[in-house]
Amino acid sequence: MKKILFLGLIISSLTAKGQTVTELQQQIAILEQQKIVLQEKVDFCELYNNSDVSETKTFNSNFEFKVLECKGNSIEQTVELTVTIKHSLPNQQLNIWTGREKPIAYGETGNSYDFKSVKFPNSRVSMGSEQFDSPTNLLIQGKITFRNILPQTEKLSLVNGTIQFKNKDGGGNKAQGTFEIKNLNINWN
């Protein structure tokens, strides 16, 4: 009788352990799925927090296009990008579109910000663009400004615009491209 009772306890404990193992396996599977989702969120946060280095894509492989500074003015609620352009082509005439295809900036929350102005040395307004000359192998510096940006905006996640260029002294060779700047921290004053 004791053996039967003991055998019954062992069988019932094995059955209980079997259910526990199945339940544990299900919980482990759920935890593994949650771990994947959490890891994706952690990776995104690390990417965002460690994105102090901005990425710049030039509008054409023949041109160097760099951002020197991104300065915010909290009183005027503007952000001004100081950029440089350099090339080794024959003298070029560049147009940064300011009309329908004007530059646009996006903040880290997805808000888009209005283009205000663009200024390069000796630039002039020409049919929906700001036009300026870029001599061969000469680094020129200009400013692109956006407005209605509040000081709590810490970075611009994307800035882009279209630039058209052609041989200044004739001969055609007209082309255009889009520049992109990503993960640009704003230095507010």
Side-chain angles (χ1 to χ4, degrees), residues 127-151:
M127 295 177 30
S129 72
E130 191 75 18
Q131 186 178 83
F132 58 96
D133 297 333
S134 177
T136 304
N137 287 323
L138 183 65
L139 186 70
I140 60 170
Q141 181 175 306
K143 302 199 183 286
I144 303 172
T145 306
F146 296 92
R147 64 178 176 227
N148 299 329
I149 303 178
L150 298 175

Short mmCIF file of all heavy atoms in Angstrom, two decimals, residues 127-151:
data_model
loop_
_atom_site.label_atom_id
_atom_site.label_comp_id
_atom_site.label_asym_id
_atom_site.label_seq_id
_atom_site.Cartn_x
_atom_site.Cartn_y
_atom_site.Cartn_z
N MET A 127 15.25 83.25 -60.71
CA MET A 127 14.13 82.36 -61.05
C MET A 127 13.97 81.17 -60.09
O MET A 127 14.16 80.02 -60.46
CB MET A 127 14.30 81.86 -62.49
CG MET A 127 14.19 82.97 -63.50
SD MET A 127 14.46 82.53 -65.22
CE MET A 127 13.94 80.88 -65.38
N GLY A 128 13.63 81.44 -58.86
CA GLY A 128 13.36 80.38 -57.88
C GLY A 128 14.60 79.70 -57.34
O GLY A 128 14.52 78.58 -56.83
N SER A 129 15.74 80.37 -57.44
CA SER A 129 16.97 79.79 -56.90
C SER A 129 17.91 80.90 -56.45
O SER A 129 17.76 82.05 -56.83
CB SER A 129 17.67 78.91 -57.94
OG SER A 129 18.25 79.70 -58.95
N GLU A 130 18.86 80.52 -55.65
CA GLU A 130 19.96 81.41 -55.29
C GLU A 130 21.15 80.95 -56.13
O GLU A 130 21.58 79.81 -56.05
CB GLU A 130 20.25 81.30 -53.79
CG GLU A 130 21.17 82.34 -53.26
CD GLU A 130 20.53 83.71 -53.10
OE1 GLU A 130 19.28 83.81 -53.09
OE2 GLU A 130 21.28 84.69 -52.98
N GLN A 131 21.66 81.84 -56.97
CA GLN A 131 22.69 81.49 -57.94
C GLN A 131 24.02 82.10 -57.51
O GLN A 131 24.07 83.25 -57.07
CB GLN A 131 22.29 82.04 -59.31
CG GLN A 131 23.18 81.63 -60.44
CD GLN A 131 22.65 82.19 -61.74
OE1 GLN A 131 22.91 83.36 -62.05
NE2 GLN A 131 21.89 81.40 -62.48
N PHE A 132 25.10 81.33 -57.65
CA PHE A 132 26.43 81.84 -57.33
C PHE A 132 27.46 81.07 -58.14
O PHE A 132 27.20 79.99 -58.67
CB PHE A 132 26.72 81.74 -55.83
CG PHE A 132 26.63 80.35 -55.27
CD1 PHE A 132 27.76 79.56 -55.11
CD2 PHE A 132 25.40 79.81 -54.91
CE1 PHE A 132 27.69 78.28 -54.60
CE2 PHE A 132 25.31 78.52 -54.40
CZ PHE A 132 26.45 77.75 -54.25
N ASP A 133 28.64 81.66 -58.25
CA ASP A 133 29.73 81.06 -59.01
C ASP A 133 30.68 80.36 -58.06
O ASP A 133 30.91 80.80 -56.93
CB ASP A 133 30.48 82.12 -59.81
CG ASP A 133 29.59 82.79 -60.84
OD1 ASP A 133 28.62 82.13 -61.29
OD2 ASP A 133 29.85 83.95 -61.19
N SER A 134 31.26 79.27 -58.56
CA SER A 134 32.20 78.47 -57.78
C SER A 134 33.44 78.20 -58.64
O SER A 134 33.41 77.33 -59.51
CB SER A 134 31.54 77.16 -57.35
OG SER A 134 32.44 76.35 -56.64
N PRO A 135 34.53 78.94 -58.40
CA PRO A 135 35.75 78.74 -59.18
C PRO A 135 36.38 77.38 -58.89
O PRO A 135 36.18 76.78 -57.84
CB PRO A 135 36.67 79.87 -58.70
CG PRO A 135 35.76 80.87 -58.07
CD PRO A 135 34.63 80.08 -57.50
N THR A 136 37.19 76.92 -59.82
CA THR A 136 37.87 75.62 -59.71
C THR A 136 38.79 75.59 -58.49
O THR A 136 39.56 76.53 -58.26
CB THR A 136 38.69 75.36 -60.99
OG1 THR A 136 37.81 75.44 -62.11
CG2 THR A 136 39.35 74.00 -60.95
N ASN A 137 38.70 74.50 -57.71
CA ASN A 137 39.57 74.24 -56.54
C ASN A 137 39.57 75.33 -55.49
O ASN A 137 40.53 75.46 -54.74
CB ASN A 137 41.01 73.96 -56.99
CG ASN A 137 41.14 72.61 -57.63
OD1 ASN A 137 40.49 71.65 -57.21
ND2 ASN A 137 41.95 72.53 -58.67
N LEU A 138 38.53 76.11 -55.42
CA LEU A 138 38.43 77.15 -54.40
C LEU A 138 37.31 76.80 -53.44
O LEU A 138 36.15 76.61 -53.87
CB LEU A 138 38.17 78.52 -55.04
CG LEU A 138 38.11 79.70 -54.08
CD1 LEU A 138 39.48 79.90 -53.42
CD2 LEU A 138 37.71 80.95 -54.81
N LEU A 139 37.62 76.70 -52.18
CA LEU A 139 36.63 76.39 -51.16
C LEU A 139 35.78 77.62 -50.91
O LEU A 139 36.31 78.68 -50.58
CB LEU A 139 37.33 75.95 -49.87
CG LEU A 139 36.45 75.46 -48.74
CD1 LEU A 139 35.85 74.11 -49.11
CD2 LEU A 139 37.27 75.32 -47.47
N ILE A 140 34.47 77.51 -51.10
CA ILE A 140 33.59 78.63 -50.79
C ILE A 140 32.66 78.24 -49.65
O ILE A 140 32.30 77.08 -49.49
CB ILE A 140 32.79 79.11 -52.02
CG1 ILE A 140 31.92 78.00 -52.60
CG2 ILE A 140 33.70 79.66 -53.09
CD1 ILE A 140 30.95 78.51 -53.65
N GLN A 141 32.33 79.21 -48.87
CA GLN A 141 31.50 78.99 -47.68
C GLN A 141 30.20 79.75 -47.82
O GLN A 141 30.19 80.89 -48.29
CB GLN A 141 32.27 79.48 -46.44
CG GLN A 141 31.54 79.29 -45.14
CD GLN A 141 32.40 79.68 -43.97
OE1 GLN A 141 33.51 79.21 -43.83
NE2 GLN A 141 31.90 80.56 -43.13
N GLY A 142 29.11 79.11 -47.40
CA GLY A 142 27.81 79.74 -47.45
C GLY A 142 26.96 79.36 -46.25
O GLY A 142 27.38 78.56 -45.41
N LYS A 143 25.77 79.94 -46.19
CA LYS A 143 24.88 79.69 -45.05
C LYS A 143 23.48 79.35 -45.57
O LYS A 143 22.98 79.98 -46.49
CB LYS A 143 24.82 80.90 -44.15
CG LYS A 143 26.21 81.28 -43.62
CD LYS A 143 26.15 82.15 -42.43
CE LYS A 143 27.53 82.56 -41.97
NZ LYS A 143 28.29 81.56 -41.33
N ILE A 144 22.89 78.32 -44.95
CA ILE A 144 21.51 77.93 -45.23
C ILE A 144 20.77 78.06 -43.91
O ILE A 144 21.18 77.47 -42.90
CB ILE A 144 21.43 76.49 -45.76
CG1 ILE A 144 22.29 76.33 -47.02
CG2 ILE A 144 19.98 76.10 -46.04
CD1 ILE A 144 22.43 74.89 -47.49
N THR A 145 19.68 78.82 -43.91
CA THR A 145 18.96 79.12 -42.67
C THR A 145 17.53 78.59 -42.73
O THR A 145 16.86 78.71 -43.76
CB THR A 145 18.95 80.64 -42.41
OG1 THR A 145 20.29 81.13 -42.45
CG2 THR A 145 18.35 80.96 -41.05
N PHE A 146 17.09 78.03 -41.60
CA PHE A 146 15.72 77.56 -41.43
C PHE A 146 15.08 78.31 -40.28
O PHE A 146 15.76 78.72 -39.34
CB PHE A 146 15.70 76.05 -41.17
CG PHE A 146 16.23 75.25 -42.33
CD1 PHE A 146 17.57 74.93 -42.40
CD2 PHE A 146 15.38 74.86 -43.35
CE1 PHE A 146 18.06 74.21 -43.48
CE2 PHE A 146 15.86 74.16 -44.44
CZ PHE A 146 17.21 73.83 -44.50
N ARG A 147 13.76 78.48 -40.33
CA ARG A 147 13.06 79.28 -39.31
C ARG A 147 12.01 78.44 -38.57
O ARG A 147 11.71 77.32 -38.94
CB ARG A 147 12.41 80.50 -39.95
CG ARG A 147 11.33 80.13 -40.93
CD ARG A 147 10.68 81.37 -41.52
NE ARG A 147 9.73 80.94 -42.52
CZ ARG A 147 9.63 81.47 -43.71
NH1 ARG A 147 10.42 82.45 -44.07
NH2 ARG A 147 8.73 81.03 -44.56
N ASN A 148 11.46 79.06 -37.52
CA ASN A 148 10.40 78.46 -36.70
C ASN A 148 10.85 77.18 -36.01
O ASN A 148 10.08 76.23 -35.89
CB ASN A 148 9.13 78.20 -37.53
CG ASN A 148 8.55 79.46 -38.12
OD1 ASN A 148 8.68 80.53 -37.53
ND2 ASN A 148 7.94 79.36 -39.28
N ILE A 149 12.09 77.17 -35.55
CA ILE A 149 12.63 76.02 -34.84
C ILE A 149 12.80 76.41 -33.38
O ILE A 149 13.53 77.36 -33.06
CB ILE A 149 13.98 75.55 -35.43
CG1 ILE A 149 13.81 75.23 -36.91
CG2 ILE A 149 14.51 74.35 -34.66
CD1 ILE A 149 15.08 74.81 -37.62
N LEU A 150 12.13 75.70 -32.50
CA LEU A 150 12.20 76.01 -31.08
C LEU A 150 13.48 75.46 -30.45
O LEU A 150 13.99 74.43 -30.89
CB LEU A 150 10.97 75.43 -30.36
CG LEU A 150 9.62 76.00 -30.82
CD1 LEU A 150 8.48 75.26 -30.14
CD2 LEU A 150 9.54 77.49 -30.55
N PRO A 151 13.98 76.13 -29.42
CA PRO A 151 15.25 75.73 -28.80
C PRO A 151 15.26 74.33 -28.19
O PRO A 151 16.33 73.77 -27.99
CB PRO A 151 15.47 76.79 -27.72
CG PRO A 151 14.68 77.97 -28.17
CD PRO A 151 13.50 77.41 -28.90
#
